[in-house]
Amino acid sequence: MKYLLLFLPMAAGLYPLAANVMKESYMTVMVNPPTSTVELLIYGNQCMDLSLKNQNFLGAIMSVPEPKPFQENWDVILLPFGSAQRSYCVFATVPVQWHFLISTYSDVANVGIRLEWDPFVAAY
């Protein structure tokens, strides 16, 4: 009986469920000129991680208006080859429709855009 009780915590530690889950993601690139705005309409989870990576040797000024009501606008200055990340969360049923409008004020920009979220199970 003692051996069984000692073995159960070790067996439970062998298979962590949350650590092996892969995140879903969507990637695109904004190159200005000709495009100074990228519009993304994504069906994702309740929390989304938005990453911006400057792929240019010049700095870029980026702007992301609120994707959902009551969230702040995000204005960020990306240094050459720098990156920035922000998480957005909302309490809603999944899948959640997210609308991101990412724009730049810079004359020349080459910015990689990546959205990541945990996969969800929709119950119908």
Side-chain angles (χ1 to χ4, degrees):
M1 188 91 166
K2 286 184 182 179
Y3 297 111
L4 180 62
L5 294 176
L6 292 175
F7 181 74
L8 285 177
M10 291 182 353
L14 293 177
Y15 301 104
L17 295 176
N20 292 332
V21 176
M22 297 293 292
K23 287 192 169 208
E24 294 184 29
S25 64
Y26 177 80
M27 294 174 48
T28 188
V29 176
M30 176 176 46
V31 178
N32 182 30
T35 306
S36 63
T37 302
V38 172
E39 185 175 7
L40 300 174
L41 184 62
I42 302 285
Y43 287 92
N45 208 345
Q46 292 175 341
C47 288
M48 301 287 282
D49 297 326
L50 175 64
S51 300
L52 303 174
K53 179 161 178 43
N54 189 1
Q55 301 171 352
N56 200 351
F57 59 91
L58 299 173
I61 301 172
M62 306 298 296
S63 176
V64 182
E66 59 182 20
K68 293 285 183 189
F70 307 113
Q71 294 179 344
E72 295 180 3
N73 294 345
W74 184 35
D75 294 322
V76 63
I77 298 173
L78 296 175
L79 297 176
F81 302 103
S83 62
Q85 182 177 359
R86 183 160 183 187
S87 295
Y88 293 95
C89 292
V90 66
F91 184 69
T93 59
V94 292
V96 178
Q97 182 180 6
W98 291 92
H99 182 239
F100 290 96
L101 187 66
I102 302 159
S103 60
T104 183
Y105 301 114
S106 302
D107 293 333
V108 178
N110 183 2
V111 177
I113 301 166
R114 181 181 183 118
L115 280 168
E116 287 186 328
W117 63 95
D118 291 325
F120 57 87
V121 177
Y124 294 103

